[in-house]
Amino acid sequence: MSAFQEQQLATDPWTSAWVSANAGSGKTHVLVDRIARLLLDGSAPDRLLCLTFTRAAAAEMSTRLFGRLGTWTLIPDDELAAELERLTGSDADELLLERARRLFAEALESPGGLRIQTIHAFCERLLKRFPLEAGVVPQFSVLDERATEELIDEAKDIVLREAASKDAALADAIAALTAYAGEERFDLLMRGIAGERAWVEAFFAQAPSLEATLKRSVGLDAAADERSILDDATAALDPNALARVVSALARGSASDQKRAEVIRRFALERNRERFARFLDVFLTQEGERRSRLATKSVLEADPAAAGLLERFGDVAEQARGRMNALFVAETSGFLLTVARAMLKAYEHLKSQRAVLDYDDLIAHAVGLFSSPGASWILYKLDGGVDHILVDEAQDTSPRQWEIIKAIAEEFFAGKGAEREPRVVQRTVFSVGDTKQSIMSFQGARPASFAETRLIIEQQAFGAKVDFARVPLVSSFRTAPRILQ
């Protein structure tokens, strides 16, 4: 299939399409073409919902589309006919020419207008339409990124004051984090926590004991601590083997004698300093096993010492792994303790000022579609949307996809799939390039692009609706020799 045929399939207004595009393959061009074909086939401008990732992308798409429609009102009939034939793949008759020339005015005069917007803007409109069902203040305001950061800084200051005045456990957690992270990194952590609050809240809802849960998550017993790990390590050093190794090393070089003393002292004094020196006998700074544990003279005098030293090295490596796991569990506990306090302060500030941030918009919209009144809400939306178009879909997060899937599901179920009078088949269109995903930004997970395609594809097939997977692999951005 040629690049031109791929683009025509992707823009077919009767077919739901999932477009995997390469850089320079014309993603925005195809999206604008599809909107134009939907309008030409009779779709009302206010019944299209086009969601993109940024306001800049939405503005560019609107500019391109209105530029196209405006040009159609001005160019001669022969030029317009050629343009429409290229777009649709069929001859353009007088009715189609007349329809094309009216589209610019219809798009401008449509009561709802063309909805080309970010998903956050869509969610804001949705929540303001159904505030009671969503559990939000009807006249809420939305924080932009700058205002969100400023409010998080306020919440951080509240937490620091609380730790200094009355919460010793919180103070200890902050001290431990800043010892490793530093002040600048600590600020970044606080801002990162705000974006992960759904996960933090879910964790605390499911974890009866923070400390025990974290320890088990890294393979430790709930009662494990530094002392028990060191006790287990020394208990694994068989006394007879220990005496033999120390004796063999003591008869060797100065470095052998030093190793003997370190091993002997660790067996007698189990503390962090002795453990660090014990590890240094067997492991490098990078954590690799040392290839040489004794000099040649020691091993020749007592060949069995080599095997015993290797066994002690296993003990050291296992103990180091458990100590590292304990560090991860304890530090995670400090982070979650601070996270919980910071999020509590942050939510309180937002509630006082009747504001929501971008993540709140998504979370409340997801909650709206999973609420007891979701069927009625979807019914109301179902009457106002015939086509969903998703741009830059590789950067759509799993929670954002939940909103899109909830709306799209009505397209392929019951009366939603059989609306009359029907001008064109109701469709879902998505275009993205997973290779260009801004991984994890705003929760983006590239795998969701393919996972969502499978779900919507199955729904479309179940409703006997055409669905196409369309790859756009040809680049129009540079020369063949450069691409090679």
Side-chain angles (χ1 to χ4, degrees):
M1 187 181 294
S2 69
F4 178 71
Q5 290 172 319
E6 289 170 349
Q7 291 186 351
Q8 279 207 327
L9 177 58
T11 62
D12 181 355
W14 288 84
T15 301
S16 289
W18 216 260
V19 181
S20 300
N22 286 342
S25 60
K27 295 190 293 292
T28 304
H29 175 79
V30 167
L31 190 53
V32 170
D33 275 2
R34 186 174 179 94
I35 295 173
R37 289 190 67 180
L38 287 168
L39 296 175
L40 282 170
D41 269 39
S43 291
D46 61 346
R47 302 186 75 86
L48 274 61
L49 175 60
C50 186
L51 302 174
T52 189
F53 193 65
T54 64
R55 287 190 292 269
E60 180 187 358
M61 201 180 309
S62 293
T63 299
R64 286 205 199 184
L65 180 63
F66 279 103
R68 174 87 61 86
L69 300 183
T71 300
W72 286 357
T73 66
L74 300 173
I75 59 177
D77 283 354
D78 57 342
E79 291 183 29
L80 179 57
E83 171 72 11
L84 296 179
E85 287 168 16
R86 181 206 63 78
L87 180 64
T88 65
S90 57
D91 293 339
D93 57 20
E94 288 296 327
L95 288 176
L96 191 62
L97 292 176
E98 183 182 348
R99 171 80 181 146
R101 294 194 187 280
R102 291 200 312 266
L103 288 180
F104 183 75
E106 286 184 8
L108 287 177
E109 295 169 2
S110 176
L114 271 169
R115 286 179 287 180
I116 300 176
Q117 58 194 171
T118 66
I119 192 165
H120 295 107
F122 167 73
C123 290
E124 180 182 356
R125 288 177 61 178
L126 178 71
L127 298 180
K128 286 185 173 177
R129 185 177 176 186
F130 304 103
L132 298 180
E133 294 85 349
V136 299
V137 178
Q139 299 302 319
F140 68 84
S141 299
V142 179
L143 296 168
D144 61 21
E145 292 178 1
R146 177 72 177 272
T148 298
E149 288 185 1
E150 290 174 352
L151 203 64
I152 290 170
D153 286 341
E154 279 192 56
K156 182 197 72 175
D157 291 341
I158 290 171
V159 170
L160 292 175
R161 289 197 297 269
E162 184 178 339
S165 62
K166 60 182 180 180
D167 194 328
L170 182 58
D172 289 343
I174 292 172
L177 286 179
T178 52
Y180 291 105
E183 184 177 348
E184 183 177 344
R185 182 66 178 164
F186 182 76
D187 287 346
L188 291 175
L189 277 173
M190 294 304 98
R191 292 172 186 173
I193 284 167
E196 297 293 340
R197 60 182 173 272
W199 183 91
V200 174
E201 291 164 1
F203 179 89
F204 278 106
Q206 297 170 7
S209 168
L210 175 63
E211 182 180 351
T213 300
L214 289 171
K215 286 180 181 178
R216 290 193 186 100
S217 73
V218 293
L220 297 175
D221 293 333
D225 57 16
E226 181 179 304
R227 183 69 185 183
S228 67
I229 292 172
L230 297 182
D231 285 346
D232 290 345
T234 53
L237 302 175
D238 178 73
N240 294 328
L242 182 66
R244 184 165 182 174
V245 164
V246 170
S247 176
L249 290 171
R251 294 193 296 272
S253 67
S255 60
D256 290 322
Q257 293 171 19
K258 184 178 179 180
R259 293 188 189 101
E261 183 63 10
V262 168
I263 294 172
R264 186 186 69 80
R265 292 290 293 274
F266 174 64
L268 295 175
E269 303 175 41
R270 296 181 288 278
N271 59 45
R272 187 180 287 262
E273 180 185 355
R274 295 296 177 192
F275 178 63
R277 294 182 180 180
F278 179 72
L279 286 182
D280 191 52
V281 171
F282 300 97
L283 304 173
T284 66
Q285 290 293 324
E286 293 74 29
E288 302 293 329
R289 290 286 283 269
R290 294 191 184 279
S291 58
R292 182 181 176 185
L293 299 175
T295 59
K296 184 178 179 181
S297 62
V298 168
L299 300 180
E300 287 178 346
D302 188 352
L308 296 176
L309 283 167
E310 287 294 334
R311 208 181 309 164
F312 286 2
D314 292 339
V315 172
E317 197 166 18
Q318 291 168 8
R320 185 204 56 172
R322 295 184 69 202
M323 289 289 277
N324 287 347
L326 181 64
F327 172 79
V328 169
E330 289 178 343
T331 306
S332 298
F334 295 141
L335 180 59
L336 286 166
T337 297
V338 176
R340 195 176 202 180
M342 201 280 292
L343 290 176
K344 180 180 178 182
Y346 181 54
E347 294 300 322
H348 180 67
L349 288 172
K350 287 191 296 179
S351 177
Q352 277 185 326
R353 301 172 193 185
V355 294
L356 301 177
D357 62 22
Y358 290 154
D359 288 334
D360 290 325
L361 296 176
I362 300 299
H364 282 294
V366 170
L368 191 62
F369 288 127
S370 59
S371 68
S375 297
W376 178 76
I377 293 163
L378 285 168
Y379 172 76
K380 296 292 284 184
L381 287 177
D382 190 45
V385 179
D386 280 341
H387 305 279
I388 301 174
L389 303 98
V390 184
D391 184 30
E392 300 293 355
Q394 75 278 355
D395 291 322
T396 304
S397 72
R399 300 205 84 191
Q400 292 167 356
W401 278 123
E402 287 182 44
I403 297 166
I404 296 166
K405 287 186 291 187
I407 302 170
E409 188 174 6
E410 293 298 299
F411 284 19
F412 309 117
K415 295 296 181 184
E418 302 171 359
R419 291 175 64 252
E420 296 293 347
R422 187 176 66 194
V423 179
V424 294
Q425 174 63 52
R426 309 181 78 196
T427 63
V428 177
F429 172 87
S430 177
V431 58
D433 179 4
T434 54
K435 299 181 293 301
Q436 294 186 67
S437 177
I438 309 172
M439 298 262 214
S440 80
F441 180 65
Q442 293 190 3
R445 193 167 70 87
S448 298
F449 180 63
E451 292 167 0
T452 306
R453 184 208 73 219
L454 287 173
I455 293 170
I456 293 180
E457 185 176 33
Q458 290 170 358
Q459 291 173 344
F461 287 162
K464 298 181 179 178
V465 172
D466 290 339
F467 185 98
R469 302 182 189 182
V470 185
L472 296 182
V473 297
S474 299
S475 176
F476 298 93
R477 194 171 287 170
T478 188
R481 186 174 293 270
I482 295 173
L483 290 173
Q484 289 168 8

